[in-house]
């Protein structure tokens, strides 16, 4: 089932995986946050776990600030930062409700967290301390950083674009162009737009420039749907990750498939084999050579028997990721 | 005078100096020039209708023929462009529903297309859908209802995540009755249930939500007349909030902004959510500024403006929907309580002049707007101090407003009391009324007693 370009990580988390992120400087290190309340650092090359630290409750997201500092937050409401060299952890702050997303914005040098308490908070990574709280219309489900802009996807299908240098007001208030709940938003590496996925097996590609000519280019397509017994089963698209070089993106859904798409030619480039269970998170490494696939049951159908949660590391080729 | 034959052919060498008559309207050639003109700026407008000297018939016919293909191309491009866009979307296998609808509407509502409209009407039936779009609002609704039905069927059969909000088309508010939960939230509930050893609770609440969802789904699928009418009202009304939902976490909508609103979510959220739901349908059905107690001006009907009852969306106030109602409530208070709930209905930007009909004293509202300029519409709440008064009074006001809104949506029934008898006031309220000024956070919500009014 797994080819020679793909292997499974050892000593993976014992419960569901919520997020995987590669280190910004190297494809060697992978950070994994999990529902077993740990955050683990893996050495991908040697297929071994390097470090692990705990929260008091399941961790929903993690992010690298720089190659030696990681931040994570989750259901224990606390935002923690961990120094990988000294294995020291610090509690930076908290939200009023579980922290759903943690991201870093290199241009403004600020950590951003989004939470179900309907707020987005900025954190100064150097001190570290809170740099502002900004309320959103609804619970924050996902967010992504594009240059110096922040795109927040909330419940109620709302999408807000904030300018991180000027958080006094929302730069753009938009509605998701999909009819159902937003699952994930990721911004293009070229910062022109973002990709939005919903629970209904659909992905929309949208642009940030509000002028009508640019807005005309946006589109949506169906994916991650399977026809079983003649009825189409619709799966949520849980994860999106961009290839930093080619501007193509991979999507992972609860059907267990990973697809790679070319947004400019509107074509699918590649589909990998089916993984044993839902794809919870995807991450391309910085150089685009490796894709980390977290296959982990997401409890969509309640607590049932499910295949073991695992992380697969796959070396991707240009043929799979480059636009034709 | 004789009519100049050369002029008629378009080749009179003398032009104005010609001794023969040059008739002003060359009605023989009207077909082609008008088409040429309808063909737009391109093509030189039929070779210059006013140019009597140099345009010869061969040239003219040529030019109009020249124009014809170009207009043809342009219009065909719309058709092709429209369908081309659709095809672009179809390349992922299957129409993308939403995307198609958008593309269709956008393509056809292009301003250039409209300039072609009258000439294109006869020729290109694809573009006649532009008329269709513009004309029939009723059919649109029909289509939407059909789409809803169809979507519900798919939702049910496809094992799709049930706890999601749903909206049938862009710029339409989302359909009420669907609560929005992400899988992680459900899993959280499951885990906390497990920790507490109380999985049954979790199972029950999930079951409850699932039932709610199923019922709503069924309702929308088999659209009875009541559901249809409520749907139509919803679809016509401006954007609204997500309905509140279970798991003990209420979801009134707030508006993103710096600082203000984060602490508001639970304040009277039950009533406010039902209030907001009701009010939005009220907005939908009642004409703006009408006899309704909620007859706010049209500008306030839009949801972002909802929060902007006294503040611009950009400044935002991040308050839950109870806050604007509280805000207008506090309008009522400082104005020495001339009106009570009707105060809410009277929020009209220009100095808060007359509320709906029978509550007299428009001057009462002139007063607060001058005294606290923050209340004067778009300039925000005049600063954090007044904002805190809003928040201070938001909890009690939400309840009061909730009760007034749920009990009566109309002005006539809204308790209509101008003054409260002193016996009904609490000691604190009495103190406020007897004091020289209101203290922030303690502004009474009931109108002052008659006795204390000094006119």
């Amino acid at each position: 089932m797994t080819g020679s370009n793909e292997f499974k990580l050892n000593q993976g988390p014992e419960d569901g995986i919520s997020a995987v992120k590669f280190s910004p400087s190297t494809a060697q290190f992978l950070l994994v946050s999990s529902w077993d309340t740990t955050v683990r650092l893996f050495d991908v090359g040697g297929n071994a776990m390097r470090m692990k630290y705990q929260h008091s409750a399941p961790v929903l997201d993690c992010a690298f600030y720089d190659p030696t500092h990681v931040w994570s937050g989750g259901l224990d409401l606390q935002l923690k930062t961990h120094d990988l060299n000294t294995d020291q952890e610090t509690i930076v702050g908290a939200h009023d409700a579980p922290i759903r997303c943690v991201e870093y914005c290199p241009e403004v040098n600020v950590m951003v967290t989004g939470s179900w308490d309907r707020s987005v908070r900025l954190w100064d990574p150097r001190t570290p301390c809170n740099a502002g709280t900004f309320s959103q219309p609804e619970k924050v489900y996902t967010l992504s950083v594009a240059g110096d802009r922040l795109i927040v996807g909330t419940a109620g299908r709302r999408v807000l674009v904030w300018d991180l240098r000027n958080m006094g007001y929302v730069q753009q208030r938009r509605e998701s162009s999909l009819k159902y709940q937003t699952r994930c938003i990721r911004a293009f590496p070229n910062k022109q737009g973002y990709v939005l996925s919903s629970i209904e097996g659909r992905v929309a590609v949208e642009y940030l420039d509000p002028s009508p000519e640019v807005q005309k280019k946006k589109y949506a397509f169906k994916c991650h749907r399977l026809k079983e017994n003649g009825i189409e089963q619709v799966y949520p698209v849980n994860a999106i990750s961009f290839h930093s070089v080619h501007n193509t993106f991979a999507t992972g859904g609860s059907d267990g498939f990973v697809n790679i798409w070319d947004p400019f030619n509107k074509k699918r480039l590649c589909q990998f084999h089916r993984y044993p269970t839902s794809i919870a998170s995807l991450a391309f490494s910085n150089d685009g050579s490796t894709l980390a696939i977290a296959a982990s049951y997401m409890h969509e159908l309640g607590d049932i028997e499910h295949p073991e949660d695992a992380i697969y590391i796959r070396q991707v080729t240009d043929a799979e990721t480059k636009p034709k | 005078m004789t009519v100049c034959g050369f002029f008629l052919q378009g080749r009179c060498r003398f032009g104005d100096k010609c001794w023969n008559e040059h008739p002003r309207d060359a009605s023989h050639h009207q077909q082609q020039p008008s088409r040429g003109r309808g063909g737009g700026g391109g093509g030189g407008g039929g070779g210059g209708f006013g140019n009597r000297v140099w345009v010869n018939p061969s040239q003219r016919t040529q030019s109009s023929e020249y124009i014809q293909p170009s207009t043809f191309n342009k219009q065909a491009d719309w058709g092709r462009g429209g369908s081309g866009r659709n095809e672009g979307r179809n390349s992922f296998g299957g129409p993308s529903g939403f995307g198609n609808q958008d593309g269709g509407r956008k393509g056809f509502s292009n301003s250039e297309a409209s300039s072609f409209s009258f000439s294109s009407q006869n020729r290109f039936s694809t573009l006649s859908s532009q008329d269709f779009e513009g004309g029939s609002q009723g059919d649109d609704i029909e289509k939407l209802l059909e789409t809803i039905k169809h979507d519900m069927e798919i939702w049910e059969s496809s094992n799709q995540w049930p706890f999601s909000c749903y909206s049938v088309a862009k710029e339409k508010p989302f359909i009420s009755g669907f609560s929005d939960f992400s899988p992680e939230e459900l899993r959280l509930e499951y885990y906390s249930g497990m920790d507490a050893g109380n999985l049954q609770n979790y199972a029950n609440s999930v079951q409850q939500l699932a039932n709610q969802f199923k019922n709503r789904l069924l309702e929308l699928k088999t659209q009875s007349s009541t559901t249809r009418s409520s749907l139509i009202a919803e679809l016509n009304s401006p954007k609204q909030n997500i309905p509140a939902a279970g798991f003990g976490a209420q979801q009134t909508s707030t508006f993103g902004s710096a600082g203000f609103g984060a602490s508001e979510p639970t304040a009277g959220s039950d009533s406010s959510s039902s209030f907001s739901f009701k009010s939005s349908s009220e907005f939908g059905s009642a004409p703006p500024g009408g006899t309704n107690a909620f007859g706010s001006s049209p500008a306030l009907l839009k949801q972002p403006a909802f929060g902007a009852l006294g503040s611009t969306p950009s400044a935002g106030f991040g308050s839950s929907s109870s806050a604007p109602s509280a805000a207008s409530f506090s309008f009522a208070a400082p104005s020495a309580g001339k009106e009570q709930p009707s105060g809410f209905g009277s929020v009209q930007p220009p100095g808060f002049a007359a509320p709906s009909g029978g509550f007299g004293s428009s001057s009462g509202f002139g007063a607060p707007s001058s005294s606290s300029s923050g209340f004067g519409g778009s300039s925000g709440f005049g600063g954090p101090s007044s904002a805190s008064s809003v928040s201070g009074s938001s909890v009690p006001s939400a309840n009061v407003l909730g009760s007034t809104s749920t009990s009566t949506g109309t002005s006539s029934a809204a308790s209509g009391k101008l003054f409260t008898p002193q016996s009904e006031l609490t000691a604190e309220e009495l103190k406020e009324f007897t004091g020289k000024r209101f203290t922030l956070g303690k502004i009474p919500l009931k109108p002052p007693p008659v006795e204390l009014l000094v006119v």
Side-chain angles (χ1 to χ4, degrees), chain B residues 212-303:
Chain B
Q212 257 178 15
F213 162 73
K214 268 196 215 105
N215 290 337
R216 183 62 176 152
L217 189 87
L218 216 58
E219 242 178 54
L220 288 176
K221 209 165 63 141
T222 56
Q223 290 162 350
S224 72
S225 49
T226 40
T227 26
R228 280 172 76 92
S229 44
S230 66
L231 273 181
I232 293 178
E234 264 181 49
L235 289 174
N236 283 331
S237 74
K239 292 184 176 216
Q240 43 174 185
N241 315 327
I242 298 187
F247 274 156
Q250 304 289 354
Q251 299 179 33
T252 52
S253 74
T254 57
F255 296 97
S257 83
F260 183 60
S263 52
E264 296 254 78
T266 53
S269 50
D270 262 326
S271 49
S272 63
S273 61
S274 58
F275 160 72
S276 60
F277 184 60
K278 197 169 186 344
S279 69
S280 48
S281 51
E282 288 285 354
F283 286 147
S285 45
T291 55
N292 199 307
F294 301 137
S296 340
S297 61
L300 301 177
L301 284 183
K302 295 200 279 297
Q303 196 187 23

Side-chain angles (χ1 to χ4, degrees), chain B residues 93-110:
Chain B
S96 59
F98 234 131
N100 265 350
Q101 266 185 356
D102 272 353
R105 280 200 203 132
K106 278 193 182 138
F108 298 143
S109 62
N110 210 316

Side-chain angles (χ1 to χ4, degrees), chain B residues 19-225:
Chain B
W19 291 349
N20 296 322
E21 177 166 336
H22 289 181
R24 277 295 149 250
D25 72 321
S27 45
H28 312 292
H29 301 278
Q30 71 181 346
Q31 289 292 15
Q32 288 150 340
S34 68
R35 234 188 266 137
R37 240 185 314 166
F49 188 41
N51 186 349
R52 282 159 284 156
V53 181
W54 294 111
V55 178
N56 56 35
S58 52
Q59 212 183 58
R60 188 188 298 194
T61 43
Q62 254 176 30
S63 53
S64 40
E65 272 161 16
Y66 170 74
I67 291 165
Q68 250 186 15
S70 70
T71 57
F72 178 83
N73 281 336
K74 278 195 183 144
Q75 285 158 343
D77 274 348
W78 295 135
R80 254 186 273 130
S83 58
R85 256 177 251 130
N86 290 343
E87 278 159 22
R89 288 197 197 91
N90 286 344
S91 71
F92 283 114
S96 59
F98 234 131
N100 265 350
Q101 266 185 356
D102 272 353
R105 280 200 203 132
K106 278 193 182 138
F108 298 143
S109 62
N110 210 316
S111 55
E112 288 176 78
S114 59
S115 74
F116 282 97
S117 58
F118 54 97
S119 49
S120 67
Q121 229 168 20
N122 307 325
R123 264 187 275 184
F124 301 98
S125 55
T126 48
L127 290 177
S128 66
S129 58
Q130 183 189 8
D131 287 300
F132 177 67
E133 294 283 6
S136 32
Q137 180 66 356
D139 281 357
D140 247 359
I141 299 283
E142 274 308 309
K143 275 202 304 187
L144 290 178
L145 291 178
E146 277 306 305
T147 322
I148 296 180
K149 202 183 285 197
H150 190 62
D151 283 339
M152 292 299 123
E153 280 161 20
I154 296 183
W155 199 342
E156 195 180 15
S157 68
S158 65
N159 194 23
Q160 194 175 302
W161 181 251
F163 307 120
S164 155
C165 55
Y166 166 67
S167 153
V168 73
K170 274 201 126 173
E171 283 138 40
K172 296 284 182 193
F174 36 79
I175 308 292
S176 63
F178 288 116
S179 49
D180 213 1
F181 288 107
S182 67
E184 285 82 25
E185 289 169 287
L186 252 70
R187 194 169 179 179
L188 162 66
E189 293 297 320
Y190 172 75
Y191 275 50
S192 25
M194 247 192 355
D195 289 338
N198 195 0
L199 272 184
Q200 195 50 34
N201 221 3
Y202 163 75
N204 285 342
S205 37
V206 173
Q207 194 55 26
Q208 208 182 16
L209 281 180
N211 287 339
Q212 257 178 15
F213 162 73
K214 268 196 215 105
N215 290 337
R216 183 62 176 152
L217 189 87
L218 216 58
E219 242 178 54
L220 288 176
K221 209 165 63 141
T222 56
Q223 290 162 350
S224 72
S225 49

Side-chain angles (χ1 to χ4, degrees), chain A residues 192-209:
Chain A
Q192 295 300 311
Y194 59 90
V195 171
L196 192 154
S197 74
S198 80
I199 52 130
E200 189 230 352
R202 226 182 269 260
V203 170
V205 173
E206 300 217 19
Y207 294 92
L208 284 174
D209 185 350

